[in-house]
Amino acid sequence: MILETLDWIIIIIFLLISLYIGLKFKDKASGSLTDFFLAGRNLPWYIAGLSMVATTFAADTPLWVTEVIKKNGISGNWLWWNMLIGGMLTTFFFAKMWRKANVLTELEFLELRYSGKVTKLFRKFKAVYLGLFFNTIIIGWVNAAMIKILMIFLNIEYSTAFIYIAILMILIAVYSSLSGLLGVAITDALQFTLAMGGCIVLAIIMLNSEQVGGVVGLKEKLPEWRFNFFPNLNGTNSDIGTFGLTIGAFFSFVAIQWWASWYPGNEPGGGGYIAQRMMSTKNEKHAVLATLFFQIAHYALRPWPWIIVGLCALIVYPDLPMNEAGNGFVFAMRDFMPTGFRGLIFTAFLGAYMSTISTQLNWGASYITHDLYKNINTENNEVLFQKKLVLIGRIATVSIMAIALVITSFIDTIDGAARFLIASSAGLGAVLILRWYWSRINIWSEISATIAPIIGFVLSKFVVAPLFERSCNAGNSFVENEGILLFTTLFTTIAWLSVTFLTKPENDETLKKFYQQVEPLGAWNSVREKLNLPKTKSQIPALIACWISAVTLTYSTLFFIGKLIFEEYYYAIINLIIGVISFIILRYFMFNTKIFND
């Protein structure tokens, strides 16, 4: 066994602290569903923000980054760095409204924005589809990755690793079902601190090892293209080399993909556990600041320890095949960390794993309890009913845990179907964004935008692409230029727009209630007139200024840190100056306009 007594002591202390937090906040989570699933709507921005970052730091994320580094160097990270554009859109255009909506889950929002029996049915369907089906598959993916890490790091068989995962999930289910979101968020903050601390220590030790020889040795032993920060826009992506994009693929990245496609945890306009954290904050200002902190930490601060380890692994483990390149991170954990620190880095990965799982359990249970069970059952005594709902929430948490364990053992069987459903989501994002900003959007718009991408994806992949191939031998070009994404997005957009104008708008009472609750911007003039409200100056230009300056600030911070690490001080200073200017502009528009409340 690679872990020694000191390492196990560190791990056990961490697990006991996690359990203690669950017990400590048990009473605070027991009063109502709002206490259990939204921490009483009283989280400060830094705890909510840390919880968001911790949840997106799954145990396999550094392994995936290491694999990207093996293939395309630093530039390969644009596969996820491009998503910052959509993330910052959520920060400034949606965070405040999610908090003002005063709903418990994003699915409750459906009945605030739309009306009728179809809306109620759609809400219940999504509760099962997202809260149970998709949620347990995501947990299964995370479990499968952690099992792989345990097998490599501890040198154990699959069956033993699965038992360890089962024990961990039981522990997670216990503390998250006891303490609700408050305990989950507090443990997230602890777990993220440990996870990043461990990764930073590993990066420093590995970079300064004899095999690597510091930054100078790293640059001498690796080709220059490994350190390119930007992709090559003159061609397609190769098996080895700087990340390449065709013009069509680049266009899809910067103009379409960030808003059109839906992915659990990265929903356009916010959704899932991100929306849950925004709704759990003290007020609208805290919701905006939490989401802003999350975007900056997620994209600018978190990646560099992983990137450094990934680059060092190319030198230390040069013979790893591409499909096992991610294992280099685990080997580095095992081979470079001394006793005690090895327990720390293992605890860091346990923390990353546990923060993701605890959030998925709590978030999924909120759908099953609030959007499904509560929608079917009622009682006269509201206080007793709320306590009963908390009990149902705890039962749902444990039940999701049990189902996810079963799913984990079959993850290879259902993986393809789940990835197909995610891939066939292009175009849905437009409705998720516009439902806040255009009163004409109705429930049929959202239903059609949910169904149409599946049809569009099938048509583009199995009809349009082969047609291009037969007619002009351009099938590969169609795929490489993101033709499937572009076609699916266009097909979906035409479908939901047609459905929107062929069906009736939502009734006036629903739209008036929504407007009075949320005070949305955009195309709501007809509703404002019916409410006899005066016209106000549009805040959208100021929001756009915040959005652009925050995106620029985050990217310049990302590049500043990178150039500083690689001792390229001239470019580091340029990025620092750009970052400071962007911060001044952002601060002005955030705090010297009427966009954000005190």
Side-chain angles (χ1 to χ4, degrees):
M1 181 69 71
I2 196 161
L3 296 176
E4 298 184 18
T5 303
L6 180 59
D7 299 315
W8 282 112
I9 290 173
I10 293 171
I11 293 167
I12 291 170
I13 289 174
F14 166 73
L15 295 176
L16 289 175
I17 290 174
S18 299
L19 184 59
Y20 168 75
I21 291 173
L23 293 169
K24 180 177 176 59
F25 293 105
K26 178 178 179 293
D27 292 338
K28 290 187 177 182
S30 301
S32 67
L33 281 188
T34 301
D35 294 329
F36 189 77
F37 288 122
L38 292 183
R41 299 189 195 274
N42 199 39
L43 285 183
W45 65 267
Y46 49 90
I47 295 296
L50 277 172
S51 183
M52 293 182 196
V53 187
T55 299
T56 56
F57 183 172
D60 62 324
T61 314
L63 279 64
W64 180 81
V65 169
T66 303
E67 187 174 324
V68 165
I69 295 292
K70 172 84 170 181
K71 183 178 180 181
N72 298 126
I74 295 174
S75 65
N77 287 283
W78 281 101
L79 284 167
W80 66 284
W81 283 350
N82 76 90
M83 297 177 186
L84 169 66
I85 302 171
M88 280 301 181
L89 192 79
T90 298
T91 301
F92 296 105
F93 284 83
F94 300 99
K96 179 179 177 180
M97 291 192 294
W98 273 115
R99 184 61 181 83
K100 291 182 74 171
N102 204 37
V103 293
L104 190 72
T105 67
E106 65 167 313
L107 299 187
E108 184 184 352
F109 170 83
L110 294 173
E111 292 199 49
L112 176 64
R113 177 62 177 82
Y114 310 123
S115 60
K117 293 181 180 179
V118 173
T119 301
K120 294 181 182 294
L121 184 62
F122 189 56
R123 178 183 174 186
K124 291 171 186 173
F125 163 75
K126 293 196 77 172
V128 176
Y129 178 68
L130 295 177
L132 196 60
F133 174 70
F134 242 115
N135 190 31
T136 52
I137 290 175
I138 292 170
I139 294 173
W141 284 338
V142 176
N143 282 345
M146 192 63 189
I147 286 172
K148 182 179 179 182
I149 291 171
L150 291 175
M151 290 173 64
I152 297 171
F153 190 82
L154 300 178
N155 193 26
I156 55 178
E157 298 295 324
Y158 176 89
S159 57
T160 305
F162 186 90
I163 292 172
Y164 284 178
I165 287 294
I167 295 171
L168 279 173
M169 283 203 71
I170 292 170
L171 174 65
I172 297 167
V174 168
Y175 78 70
S176 58
S177 64
L178 287 174
S179 63
L181 182 64
L182 179 59
V184 168
I186 298 296
T187 53
D188 279 350
L190 169 65
Q191 290 160 355
F192 177 72
T193 302
L194 279 172
M196 283 310 300
C199 289
I200 290 171
V201 170
L202 175 61
I204 293 172
I205 290 176
M206 201 173 186
L207 181 63
N208 292 286
S209 65
E210 185 177 344
Q211 296 97 314
V212 177
V215 172
V216 174
L218 188 69
K219 286 186 170 183
E220 287 178 351
K221 294 170 184 175
L222 292 177
E224 186 177 349
W225 67 263
R226 294 279 185 193
F227 300 93
N228 290 341
F229 280 26
F230 296 95
N232 174 14
L233 302 181
N234 298 319
T236 58
N237 194 21
S238 58
D239 290 337
I240 291 289
T242 301
F243 183 52
L245 289 171
T246 62
I247 297 300
F250 176 74
F251 175 75
S252 76
F253 264 53
V254 300
I256 295 176
Q257 190 168 352
W258 58 268
W259 61 262
S261 297
W262 171 91
Y263 185 85
N266 193 46
E267 296 88 344
Y273 57 82
I274 299 298
Q276 184 190 38
R277 298 306 190 275
M278 291 187 285
M279 294 184 292
S280 69
T281 54
K282 290 182 176 182
N283 54 40
E284 297 149 31
K285 182 178 179 180
H286 278 259
V288 174
L289 291 176
T291 317
L292 177 61
F293 173 80
F294 161 58
Q295 304 297 341
I296 295 173
H298 178 68
Y299 291 100
L301 305 181
R302 196 176 63 173
W304 286 112
W306 307 340
I307 292 171
I308 295 301
V309 173
L311 290 170
C312 293
L314 294 173
I315 298 172
V316 180
Y317 311 106
D319 299 325
L320 281 177
M322 187 65 69
N323 63 342
E324 297 180 11
N327 295 346
F329 202 103
V330 186
F331 292 150
M333 291 164 52
R334 183 192 65 189
D335 298 340
F336 282 83
M337 297 294 264
T339 300
F341 281 100
R342 192 178 294 125
L344 174 66
I345 191 67
F346 187 70
T347 301
F349 269 70
L350 283 182
Y353 165 77
M354 292 170 69
S355 63
T356 302
I357 297 298
S358 61
T359 287
Q360 295 296 147
L361 291 176
N362 183 271
W363 167 69
S366 72
Y367 285 4
I368 299 303
T369 306
H370 185 64
D371 300 297
L372 187 62
Y373 181 87
K374 187 184 176 184
N375 247 347
I376 299 172
N377 298 271
T378 58
E379 288 187 14
N380 293 327
N381 189 315
E382 182 61 23
V383 175
L384 292 178
F385 187 44
Q386 285 294 324
K387 291 184 178 297
K388 181 179 179 181
L389 289 174
V390 171
L391 176 60
I392 297 297
R394 287 172 170 150
I395 294 172
T397 302
V398 175
S399 300
I400 291 172
M401 179 272 295
I403 295 170
L405 273 176
V406 175
I407 292 293
T408 302
S409 62
F410 293 98
I411 196 66
D412 291 336
T413 306
I414 60 178
D415 181 75
R419 292 186 184 277
F420 163 75
L421 290 172
I422 291 175
S424 56
S425 69
L428 169 61
V431 171
L432 299 183
I433 290 172
L434 289 175
R435 63 186 183 177
W436 297 88
Y437 284 87
W438 186 21
S439 63
R440 188 61 180 81
I441 297 288
N442 61 30
I443 185 60
W444 295 108
S445 308
E446 188 155 337
I447 292 174
S448 60
T450 303
I451 298 172
I454 299 174
I455 301 171
F457 180 83
V458 172
L459 287 175
S460 62
K461 186 174 181 66
F462 299 107
V463 177
V464 179
L467 185 63
F468 269 82
E469 183 62 32
R470 288 195 301 269
S471 61
C472 53
N473 292 322
N476 288 335
S477 178
F478 177 80
V479 174
E480 290 170 356
N481 283 277
E482 297 291 342
I484 291 176
L485 171 70
L486 297 174
F487 179 87
T488 305
T489 301
L490 179 62
F491 178 88
T492 302
T493 303
I494 293 173
W496 72 255
L497 278 173
S498 301
V499 169
T500 299
F501 288 111
L502 288 172
T503 54
K504 294 180 180 180
E506 294 298 330
N507 64 63
D508 286 348
E509 290 307 311
T510 299
L511 294 176
K512 287 178 182 179
K513 179 182 176 183
F514 177 77
Y515 186 86
Q516 290 174 315
Q517 178 74 39
V518 177
E519 296 179 317
L521 305 175
W524 287 84
N525 285 335
S526 61
V527 179
R528 279 193 289 267
E529 289 172 1
K530 291 173 183 176
L531 289 168
N532 296 316
L533 295 173
K535 288 186 178 180
T536 57
K537 183 179 179 181
S538 176
Q539 296 176 357
I540 290 179
L543 289 174
I544 292 173
C546 287
W547 176 38
I548 294 173
S549 59
V551 169
T552 306
L553 168 64
T554 306
Y555 279 135
S556 59
T557 304
L558 171 69
F559 303 144
F560 164 71
I561 295 172
K563 293 300 182 182
L564 196 63
I565 291 172
F566 295 122
E567 300 176 356
E568 298 175 21
Y569 300 118
Y570 173 76
Y571 294 107
I573 291 171
I574 290 175
N575 280 289
L576 177 61
I577 293 171
I578 294 172
V580 170
I581 294 172
S582 300
F583 174 76
I584 293 171
I585 295 171
L586 174 62
R587 193 179 188 283
Y588 171 80
F589 281 102
M590 283 186 69
F591 298 107
N592 291 280
T593 65
K594 295 181 180 180
I595 296 175
F596 304 106
N597 297 335
D598 293 330

